[in-house]
């Protein structure tokens, strides 16, 4: 081999050996709302340092040479550092975009941008390893506020070494000094006489803490003003926050630029988003979320109509200041409306995959692989997955326009035939068959045109597709409604009436089969 060819071959081999990683900087959910209305999750500070910094430093220390970061939520905040893809709305979109652009040349590492880890990747390289148990190393995701609190404590307790507080030097920031009882203080803070830092406390640069203030198990950001006689327990106070005197904050998070006026009590599990003013003289009930922002088209929501709950939580600070001082903050937050959860987000992903699969005639095996891959990005069980796949198929015929029952049935049968391998992959056992029937029944409540044809659909799945067994259908039919709501019980009875003819046919056929067996035995 000539020297030139040998050199070219060695260069090619070196390029193939480059370790690459893809960081998903979007979470594709709203677990940190309303904070993430104004800043992507990966730029939120964990112990006074952006989450993304931990992830990137972990990858670099593990020998990764090429890192691609994908972000669509607030891209303007990170586009100076990464190349942004503006079309990705889900994990599946990001992976498809990576494949289309041919950015990845070989096996690669895929992580979320909220990973905190000090593990060595050398032990898990190779395509035969599917599970790696950590014994002495650390790895975790900041997937929700509970994990945010737990991982912050782990960083403070130095389980993530070398990625610890006193090693996390940011630009234009002085370092931290480590004192007894896991207390980290910046070199230029002001501690008034009588203030007490008990244990597990981090205080950022430029922060002032007033007289007789007691702080424990808390992280305070940069340039904060903490008044006198304040009690902070398990609190996370970000940069440029003002907390006036005689306040008590327990197990809550306060974002940049917010102000807590005097004599305010913030009970556990509250989130005060950016630039919100609270108080004076109010008691904020547990679980309150306050923000001044409304959802926009670029906040990472798959469906803004499902995010209406956030509009009910928005606080007009100017109006609030003009209102009566006796007005309780409890009246500002609806207590029963939950945030958009992973189930809805995953359902949107499945629906999008199936719709695109039909339009582009994608192989069903690939669709199953895509759906299974999406499952790992969301907190859904196999039971939920079975039902959501069924509901997504039921919704497909009516995505473009509402069909009347006869046309709907005809279109649905065509889809069921085309997507039969997908359903057969998930609807196998008696338990999954029951999940399918329950999903069919639940869909009747959201689609009036489906209820009249539910019997024909069950019959088709039983007779033509052979994914439903007679015994499971009869068991489902004989179930009684456990709901206390009259409307739900009535709907349950109406659906049973719809399928009575088919169930009787099954029972009669079963009786005839038993009779024939008896005749054979007698002969």
């Amino acid at each position: 081999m000539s020297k030139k060819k040998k050199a070219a071959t060695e260069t090619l081999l070196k390029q193939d050996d480059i370790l690459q990683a893809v960081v998903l900087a979007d979470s594709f959910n709203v677990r940190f709302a309303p904070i993430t209305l104004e800043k992507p999750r990966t730029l939120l500070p964990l112990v006074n340092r952006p989450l993304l910094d931990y992830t990137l430093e972990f990858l670099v220390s593990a020998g990764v040479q090429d890192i691609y970061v994908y972000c669509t939520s607030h891209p303007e905040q990170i586009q100076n550092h990464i190349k942004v893809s503006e079309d990705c709305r889900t994990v599946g979109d990001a992976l498809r975009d990576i494949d289309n652009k041919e950015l990845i040349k070989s096996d690669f590492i895929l992580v979320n941008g909220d990973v905190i880890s000090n593990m060595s990747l050398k032990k898990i390289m190779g395509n035969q390893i599917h599970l790696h148990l950590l014994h002495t190393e650390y790895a975790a995701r900041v997937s929700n506020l509970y994990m945010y609190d737990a991982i912050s404590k782990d960083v403070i307790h130095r389980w993530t070494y070398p990625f610890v507080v006193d090693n996390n030097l940011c630009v234009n920031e002085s370092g931290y000094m480590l004192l007894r009882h896991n207390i980290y203080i910046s070199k230029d803070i002001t501690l008034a006489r009588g203030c007490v830092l008990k244990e597990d406390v981090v205080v950022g640069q430029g922060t002032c803490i007033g007289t007789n203030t007691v702080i424990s198990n808390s992280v305070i950001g940069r340039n904060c003003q903490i008044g006198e006689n304040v009690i902070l327990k398990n609190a996370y106070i970000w940069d440029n926050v003002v907390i006036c005197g005689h306040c008590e904050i327990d197990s809550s998070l306060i974002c940049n630029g917010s102000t807590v006026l005097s004599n305010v009590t913030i009970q556990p599990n509250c989130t005060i988003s950016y630039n919100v003013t609270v108080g004076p003289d109010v008691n904020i009930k547990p679980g309150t979320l306050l923000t001044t922002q409304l959802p926009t088209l670029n906040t990472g929501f798959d469906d803004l109509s499902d995010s209406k709950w956030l509009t009910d939580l928005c606080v007009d600070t100017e109006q609030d200041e003009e209102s009566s001082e006796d007005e309780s903050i409890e009246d500002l937050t609806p207590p029963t409306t939950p945030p958009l959860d992973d189930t809805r987000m995953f359902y949107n992903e499945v629906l999008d995959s199936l719709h695109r699969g039909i339009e582009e005639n994608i192989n069903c095996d690939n669709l199953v692989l895509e759906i299974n891959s999406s499952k790992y990005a969301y907190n859904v069980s196999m039971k939920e997955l079975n039902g959501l796949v069924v509901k997504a198929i039921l919704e497909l015929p009516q995505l473009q326009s509402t069909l009347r029952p006869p046309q709907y049935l005809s279109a649905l049968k065509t889809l069921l035939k085309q997507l039969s391998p997908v359903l057969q992959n998930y609807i196998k056992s008696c338990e999954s068959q029951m999940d399918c029937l329950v999903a069919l029944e639940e869909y009747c409540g959201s689609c009036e045109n489906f209820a009249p044809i539910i019997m024909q659909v069950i019959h088709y799945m039983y007779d033509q597709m052979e994914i439903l067994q007679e015994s499971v259908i009869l068991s489902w039919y004989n179930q009684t409604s456990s709901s206390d709501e009259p409307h739900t019980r009535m709907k349950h009875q109406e659906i049973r009436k719809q399928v009575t003819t088919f169930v009787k046919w099954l029972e009669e056929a079963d009786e005839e089969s038993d009779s024939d067996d008896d005749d054979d035995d007698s002969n």
Side-chain angles (χ1 to χ4, degrees):
M1 181 183 293
S2 67
K3 292 183 177 180
K4 287 186 177 180
K5 288 184 177 180
K6 185 177 180 180
T9 302
E10 291 177 352
T11 301
L12 182 61
L13 289 174
K14 288 180 180 179
Q15 290 176 346
D16 289 341
D17 290 339
I18 290 177
L19 184 56
Q20 298 178 303
V22 174
V23 178
L24 299 179
D26 289 329
S27 58
F28 303 107
N29 60 51
V30 291
R31 292 176 182 167
F32 276 79
I35 302 171
T36 45
L37 289 174
E38 302 178 58
K39 181 174 288 191
R41 179 194 295 186
T42 51
L43 292 185
L44 301 184
L46 184 131
V47 193
N48 293 342
R49 192 179 189 192
L51 285 173
L52 188 58
D53 284 7
Y54 289 96
T55 304
L56 296 179
E57 191 162 347
F58 151 59
L59 293 173
V60 171
S61 66
V64 177
Q65 294 170 277
D66 286 349
I67 301 176
Y68 297 93
V69 182
Y70 272 73
C71 176
T72 58
S73 176
H74 307 289
E76 70 283 352
Q77 297 187 29
I78 59 175
Q79 64 184 357
N80 293 331
H81 307 287
I82 62 173
K83 183 177 180 181
V84 179
S85 173
E86 298 180 352
D87 298 325
C88 297
R89 299 290 292 171
T90 65
V91 174
D93 287 340
L95 295 179
R96 284 188 290 273
D97 191 50
I98 292 168
D99 182 61
N100 292 336
K101 293 181 177 179
E102 299 182 350
L103 298 174
I104 303 300
K105 306 302 182 184
S106 62
D107 293 341
F108 65 96
I109 301 165
L110 176 65
V111 297
N112 289 86
D114 53 12
V115 170
I116 314 296
S117 176
N118 61 6
M119 67 181 292
S120 170
L121 295 178
K122 294 181 180 179
K123 303 174 184 177
I124 61 174
M125 297 308 295
N127 56 13
Q128 297 299 316
I129 302 296
H130 300 282
L131 175 66
H132 180 71
L133 297 178
L134 297 180
H135 298 286
T136 60
E137 298 167 306
Y138 185 94
R141 277 194 62 200
V142 185
S143 54
N144 51 46
L145 285 171
Y146 173 81
M147 289 300 298
Y148 179 91
D149 175 60
I151 296 174
S152 294
K153 297 295 193 297
D154 289 343
V155 172
I156 292 172
H157 293 162
R158 309 183 74 78
W159 291 106
T160 59
Y161 187 86
F163 309 126
V164 291
V165 181
D166 45 324
N167 280 347
N168 289 349
L169 294 180
C170 298
V171 178
N172 299 323
E173 181 183 28
S174 60
Y176 288 88
M177 294 187 297
L178 172 60
L179 308 179
R180 294 178 60 189
H181 307 300
N182 294 317
I183 295 176
Y184 301 82
I185 59 174
S186 186
K187 296 178 181 179
D188 51 356
I189 65 173
T190 301
L191 302 177
R193 183 185 301 272
C195 71
V196 178
L197 307 182
K198 286 190 172 182
E199 61 180 357
D200 298 345
V201 174
V202 179
V203 183
Q205 177 181 350
T207 289
C208 298
I209 299 176
T211 305
N212 297 326
T213 287
V214 179
I215 303 174
S216 61
N217 302 291
S218 299
V219 176
I220 302 174
R222 307 168 189 86
N223 303 312
C224 294
Q225 303 293 323
I226 313 297
E228 60 182 15
N229 297 301
V230 172
I231 298 176
L232 300 180
K233 298 181 297 184
N234 297 301
Y236 293 93
I237 313 299
W238 292 358
D239 296 346
N240 303 303
V241 170
V242 176
I243 300 177
C244 298
H246 305 279
C247 291
E248 182 172 348
I249 300 174
D250 185 3
S251 304
S252 294
L253 187 153
I254 301 180
C255 296
N256 298 22
S258 291
T259 299
V260 180
L261 299 177
S262 59
N263 297 307
V264 171
T265 298
I266 299 179
Q267 298 187 43
N269 304 318
C270 292
T271 299
I272 311 301
S273 192
Y274 301 91
N275 303 308
V276 171
T277 299
V278 180
D281 306 315
V282 294
N283 184 356
I284 300 184
K285 67 177 183 178
T288 297
L289 309 176
L290 295 178
T291 179
T292 61
Q293 300 294 314
L294 294 174
T296 65
L297 292 177
N298 199 26
T299 56
F301 293 101
D302 278 352
D303 185 353
L304 292 180
S305 64
D306 290 323
S307 307
K308 179 181 181 299
W309 67 281
L310 285 169
T311 64
D312 297 328
L313 299 181
C314 295
V315 179
D316 185 336
T317 54
E318 294 182 1
Q319 180 180 354
D320 188 55
E321 291 173 359
E322 296 174 359
S323 61
S324 171
E325 294 184 358
D326 295 333
E327 180 182 6
S328 173
I329 202 71
E330 296 182 5
D331 298 331
L332 298 175
T333 306
T336 59
T337 306
L340 186 63
D341 59 14
D342 275 7
T343 303
R344 179 62 180 174
M345 303 289 286
F346 176 70
Y347 176 78
N348 290 340
E349 180 104 1
V350 172
L351 187 62
D352 177 71
S353 296
L354 293 177
H355 183 239
R356 187 173 46 82
I358 295 297
E359 288 188 336
E360 301 177 10
N361 197 27
I362 296 176
N363 184 279
C364 285
D365 291 340
N366 292 337
L367 287 178
V368 170
L369 181 61
E370 188 170 318
I371 292 171
N372 289 343
S373 299
S374 299
K375 176 185 180 297
Y376 293 108
Y378 302 95
N379 186 27
V380 295
S381 64
M382 282 303 302
K383 182 180 182 68
E384 291 173 318
L385 185 149
N386 296 334
L388 293 173
V389 169
V390 171
K391 291 179 181 179
I393 294 176
L394 297 177
E395 188 173 343
L396 282 175
Q398 304 211 105
L399 284 179
Q400 304 299 329
S401 61
T402 303
L403 302 176
R404 297 190 62 78
Q407 293 77 24
Y408 182 17
L409 179 61
S410 176
L412 182 58
K413 284 184 177 180
T414 301
L415 279 175
L416 288 172
K417 184 177 181 180
Q418 186 173 351
L419 297 173
S420 178
V422 176
L423 271 179
Q424 290 174 349
N425 179 79
Y426 297 107
I427 311 302
K428 299 176 180 178
S429 64
C430 292
E431 290 80 5
S432 60
Q433 292 178 47
M434 185 63 73
D435 296 337
C436 176
L437 288 165
V438 170
L440 295 176
E441 181 176 353
E442 290 177 349
Y443 194 71
C444 290
S446 59
C447 179
E448 295 180 356
N449 291 337
F450 180 68
I453 63 171
I454 186 174
M455 183 182 74
Q456 291 92 323
V457 174
I458 294 176
H459 192 176
Y460 186 82
M461 290 182 170
Y462 166 76
D463 188 40
Q464 300 296 321
M465 301 181 68
E466 298 183 348
I467 64 171
L468 294 179
Q469 298 177 6
E470 175 184 331
S471 59
V472 179
I473 295 174
L474 294 177
S475 176
W476 165 79
Y477 176 81
N478 292 319
Q479 284 182 345
T480 57
S481 176
S482 59
S483 175
D484 296 330
E485 297 183 5
H487 175 75
T488 303
R489 292 200 302 269
M490 185 180 299
K491 194 68 178 180
H492 177 86
Q493 295 172 358
E494 290 176 356
I495 293 172
R496 268 50 185 182
K497 290 179 181 178
Q498 291 283 352
V499 300
T500 296
T501 302
F502 175 62
V503 169
K504 286 184 177 180
W505 177 78
L506 287 177
E507 292 173 338
E508 291 172 357
D510 188 47
E511 290 175 359
E512 290 178 2
S513 176
D514 292 341
S515 177
D516 292 341
D517 291 340
D518 293 339
D519 291 341
D520 292 339
D521 292 340
S522 63
N523 291 331

